[in-house]
Amino acid sequence: GPALDDPWPIGQPGDQPQIKNLQVQCEKTHMRVNIEFDRPFYGMIFSKGHYSDPNCVHVRPGSGQLSATFDVYLNSCGMTSSANQVY
């Protein structure tokens, strides 16, 4: 898989749920990301710098979910791939 430099900033006021489990599965055209929290998560998860594009907001604010799975496609939401790194 790619080297991840915090590509999904998580913004939420106050007491943040902790990420219990984070799995990234690399496919040819996208990365599938699965995140589990230790308690309901009401913040949002988005591709860095692309929160104004609804296609790049992977978890909408206020959902209160305990886990999230989303696909991030190459060449979308500012993500490009090279031999060993995803930006």
Side-chain angles (χ1 to χ4, degrees):
L4 293 180
D5 177 29
D6 188 28
W8 300 289
I10 293 175
Q12 174 169 344
D15 190 22
Q16 297 223 67
Q18 300 304 304
I19 292 175
K20 231 178 25 176
N21 191 11
L22 172 63
Q23 291 176 308
V24 178
Q25 194 176 322
C26 300
E27 309 287 351
K28 276 195 162 45
T29 58
H30 64 280
M31 292 192 317
R32 169 154 291 180
V33 181
N34 178 253
I35 296 181
E36 286 177 44
F37 302 100
D38 65 349
R39 57 193 166 214
F41 175 71
Y42 293 96
M44 66 187 291
I45 301 178
F46 54 88
S47 293
K48 189 177 256 177
H50 289 267
Y51 55 87
S52 57
D53 181 343
N55 294 315
C56 302
V57 175
H58 308 299
V59 174
R60 304 249 181 290
S63 66
Q65 57 202 64
L66 279 169
S67 66
T69 302
F70 52 88
D71 295 334
V72 183
Y73 285 86
L74 297 175
N75 304 318
S76 72
C77 302
M79 202 172 90
T80 56
S81 75
S82 66
N84 57 5
Q85 201 167 7
V86 170
Y87 299 99

